[in-house]
Amino acid sequence: MLSRHFLRSKVLQAIYAGRYEEDDAITVSKAFEYHIAKLNELGVLQVALLPRFVEVGLEVLEEGKKKFRPTAEDRNPSMKMQDNEFVRRMTDNFELKKHIEKWGGCWETHEDLIKEAFWEFRKSDEYRRYVGDPEHTFEGDKDFAILLFRYLMNREALRAVVVERSLLWEDDFDQIAQYNFMMLKTLSEEKFDEAVMWPVMYDKREEKDEADMNFARQLLRDTISTREESEELIKSHLQGWEFDRVSKMDILLINMAVAEFTGCPSIPEKVTVDEYIELSKEFSSERSKLFINGILDKLVLELRSKGRINKSGRGLLTE
């Protein structure tokens, strides 16, 4: 499920945080693998909040009936959210239940925060429209559940519960929430049942996931093993720049691009250039994209002339 752009960013962070020496490649690789494995836990923690929220909401509604002076709404609350078919199928899914048992149990100890979120959400127009609509369909329940998931992911107090569990997750929370959001949208009434394989961030059983991870592993190894050679290439094309004054992040981005140019024949050069310019916008300075673009254009020509780049197909750079 993780995109190659996201995996490139994780390779970048793993190498940047390490010693970036060839004899330390194993340590950096282990750190990268650990980080990716932890993303499955993060994804499940996020998803597990949705059925737990509905469960706690039911408890709140039952408590309302026992008030000393209950209102008419307290005495006869709408149970439509608690009868949500989409959330029920999530709760019944065998594989998701196993994942929640393994990773997602933290919500049992934060009922107060969930109740607070429920009381606020209950006042929203979205909630009132949903419970006030007499029609009850799977698609309607699904749309509401996805809306509710987005609401929960934007609750700072609930987000804090998750990111406190790992220092790695502060930067990843929003991206993983977006992956989960898109994944929930793909679950259809016809195919979503208790036996369906629950999608996680990285699943070794999925051919595409494993192919993308192997790409990232190779990129990490090649970037570290070709560091000295790549840096000599960079130095030969610096004009008006001193190598020691170029940021470590920019050098690493260029080194990764060179490793991808030469080690991934199926990826067009233009795709690689665009990817590392985008990463420079995320991880480096405002001026870095122009510097990196200029150096990569020169390196492509040199590497191609030396026979180091052998690609065919669409998306290749031309002189």
Side-chain angles (χ1 to χ4, degrees), residues 218 222 226 229-230 233 255-265 272 303-304 307-311:
Q218 178 184 341
D222 290 352
T226 61
E229 180 183 359
S230 295
L233 283 172
N255 287 352
M256 287 179 65
V258 170
E260 192 168 314
F261 284 146
T262 58
C264 301
T272 297
L303 291 168
R304 193 190 296 157
R308 295 283 309 281
I309 296 179
N310 296 289
K311 304 190 182 192

Side-chain angles (χ1 to χ4, degrees), residues 206-310:
E206 293 287 346
E207 183 177 346
K208 183 181 183 304
D209 282 11
E210 194 61 14
D212 289 341
M213 273 295 288
N214 285 334
F215 155 76
R217 292 175 179 124
Q218 178 184 341
L219 178 62
L220 187 151
R221 292 192 300 267
D222 290 352
T223 300
I224 294 176
S225 65
T226 61
R227 174 193 177 186
E228 292 184 3
E229 180 183 359
S230 295
E231 290 185 356
E232 288 303 314
L233 283 172
I234 295 169
K235 289 176 184 177
S236 69
H237 290 285
L238 291 177
Q239 295 180 350
W241 293 80
E242 294 181 18
F243 182 81
D244 292 339
R245 297 185 65 181
V246 179
S247 77
K248 177 183 175 182
M249 179 61 74
D250 289 355
I251 296 298
L252 176 51
L253 285 164
I254 297 170
N255 287 352
M256 287 179 65
V258 170
E260 192 168 314
F261 284 146
T262 58
C264 301
S266 64
I267 300 178
E269 298 154 5
K270 185 177 187 307
V271 171
T272 297
V273 172
D274 289 346
E275 283 288 342
Y276 289 95
I277 290 174
E278 286 302 310
L279 286 170
S280 74
K281 296 176 185 176
E282 297 172 34
F283 294 98
S284 197
S285 65
E286 180 65 26
R287 297 178 60 191
S288 292
K289 61 182 180 182
L290 298 176
F291 170 73
I292 290 172
N293 190 26
I295 295 295
L296 291 182
D297 283 347
K298 296 174 183 177
L299 292 180
V300 165
L301 297 177
E302 180 175 349
L303 291 168
R304 193 190 296 157
S305 68
K306 292 180 177 180
R308 295 283 309 281
I309 296 179
N310 296 289

Side-chain angles (χ1 to χ4, degrees), residues 161-196:
V161 169
V162 175
V163 299
E164 283 174 3
R165 293 169 66 95
S166 174
L167 295 175
L168 301 171
W169 289 347
E170 181 64 46
D171 293 334
D172 295 332
F173 187 95
D174 291 331
Q175 182 63 65
I176 299 305
Q178 181 64 24
Y179 281 131
N180 271 325
F181 177 81
M182 299 305 295
M183 177 272 292
L184 292 173
K185 292 179 70 173
T186 67
L187 299 174
S188 65
E189 183 174 10
E190 295 75 21
K191 297 181 181 180
F192 183 24
D193 58 29
E194 67 274 4
V196 73

